[in-house]
Amino acid sequence: MSGVASGASASAAPGLQEVWERAGRPGADKLLFAARRAGLSVTDKDVRDFVRGQSVAQVFQPAPRSTGKVTSARDMHRWQADLQDYKTKTAEKNRGFKVALVVTDIFSRKAFTEPVKSKSPADVAAAFERILERAGGAPVEVSTDGGAEFKGAFSEMLEHRGIAQLYKEHQNSLAVNDAAMRTLKAMTASEMTASGNDSWVAALPKATRAHNDNSHPHLMGSTPNDVKESPELQYALEKEAGEDIAHNHAEHMKRIRRLLELGA
């Protein structure tokens, strides 16, 4: 990449730059190991200070946990989607279904679920379209991971419907949906135990309804189902979303300034 400086510190321990480059410009933990194997007398602080000063490391480091906030300006605007695996459950008792598509509206935290027989993009796309029908509309964008199940026929379906697809950029990019999935899995297991039925397909709709009827901390004690019917709650959430967007912009500018200072 042109215009990206190494950013080596003048005070770096002799030989550390060479070891870092030879090791493939790793992070601090691997560099410390490589440096000590090379016989360099360096401390953990020496290595972390050195790596922190490398613009190349800043640009090419693995996707970090985002310091931004996952937010949406309004209802039915931004969704997150992923697959919940139920392969350990007997497929015969679940009408051949092995996974569930879980979708969450970021603004309202409302969850939508649909059993899927396979992870093929065509099956996942068909399940997503059934969710759109129940939701009574479509979001502006949907975030997914980069798995094959969310490409091909799935991406084509979104494009046909005019829905933008965003792929996961940070470790916690799908945090809202991840939290909903954990809650839904626990509720589904509880429902199966209470009913004495080994069918997660039968338990999942009840778990989804319970999730959407339960209070949520993001919603100031209200439930996901309350959002659409409460202008006051919508106003409060829109105000909070505006503050989150301002926070995210500030975090983004900090990173840009850091890279510019290092010559990137």
Side-chain angles (χ1 to χ4, degrees):
M1 177 181 289
S2 63
V4 177
S6 67
S9 168
S11 62
L16 195 55
Q17 177 78 26
E18 181 183 348
V19 171
W20 180 66
E21 292 176 355
R22 192 168 62 242
R25 298 177 173 83
D29 291 338
K30 289 185 178 180
L31 178 57
L32 180 61
F33 179 77
R36 288 179 175 171
R37 283 194 63 182
L40 299 185
S41 179
V42 292
T43 66
D44 181 76
K45 184 178 184 302
D46 291 335
V47 170
R48 293 190 184 282
D49 287 347
F50 172 82
V51 171
R52 199 174 294 119
Q54 307 307 306
S55 60
V56 170
Q58 289 284 327
V59 173
F60 292 106
Q61 63 185 326
R65 288 189 66 82
S66 172
T67 55
K69 299 182 179 181
V70 181
T71 190
S72 177
R74 60 184 182 275
D75 192 32
M76 295 289 288
H77 182 79
R78 296 185 65 205
W79 285 7
Q80 294 181 347
D82 205 353
L83 293 180
Q84 183 94 56
D85 204 325
Y86 287 97
K87 284 189 297 186
T88 58
K89 303 298 180 183
T90 307
E92 290 75 16
K93 293 183 179 180
N94 290 282
R95 307 201 304 274
F97 292 106
K98 297 179 180 178
V99 294
L101 176 62
V102 180
V103 174
T104 306
D105 177 79
I106 295 173
F107 185 83
S108 69
R109 296 306 200 258
K110 186 165 185 173
F112 302 90
T113 57
E114 187 70 26
V116 191
K117 290 195 173 179
S118 79
K119 291 186 177 182
S120 75
D123 280 355
V124 177
F128 190 86
E129 291 194 294
R130 291 193 292 274
I131 285 176
L132 290 177
E133 289 176 12
R134 290 206 308 278
V140 174
E141 63 185 53
V142 59
S143 296
T144 68
D145 62 28
E149 63 271 23
F150 292 116
K151 295 182 179 178
F154 182 86
S155 296
E156 290 166 9
M157 176 273 298
L158 293 182
E159 184 176 2
H160 176 73
R161 287 180 169 272
I163 302 171
Q165 182 176 15
L166 282 69
Y167 290 116
K168 176 177 177 179
E169 295 179 344
H170 302 284
Q171 294 176 30
N172 54 331
S173 289
L174 302 177
V176 172
N177 201 51
D178 288 344
M181 289 171 68
R182 288 192 296 271
T183 300
L184 286 164
K185 194 158 193 178
M187 286 181 164
T188 300
S190 179
E191 175 62 29
M192 290 167 65
T193 300
S195 66
N197 189 336
D198 198 30
S199 171
W200 65 265
V201 170
L204 184 59
K206 295 179 182 179
T208 306
R209 285 194 296 271
H211 173 278
N212 292 333
D213 280 332
N214 275 339
S215 62
H216 193 289
H218 168 73
L219 304 176
M220 304 161 213
S222 297
T223 75
N225 281 335
D226 290 334
V227 174
K228 194 175 289 292
E229 306 302 324
S230 174
E232 294 84 359
L233 180 56
Q234 291 175 28
Y235 174 79
L237 292 173
E238 287 166 2
K239 182 174 182 294
E240 186 176 88
E243 293 168 355
D244 289 346
I245 290 168
H247 167 85
N248 291 348
H249 177 71
E251 290 295 307
H252 175 71
M253 294 310 297
K254 280 183 190 176
R255 184 169 174 80
I256 295 296
R257 285 195 296 271
R258 173 66 173 161
L259 289 171
L260 290 175
E261 287 169 2
L262 293 167

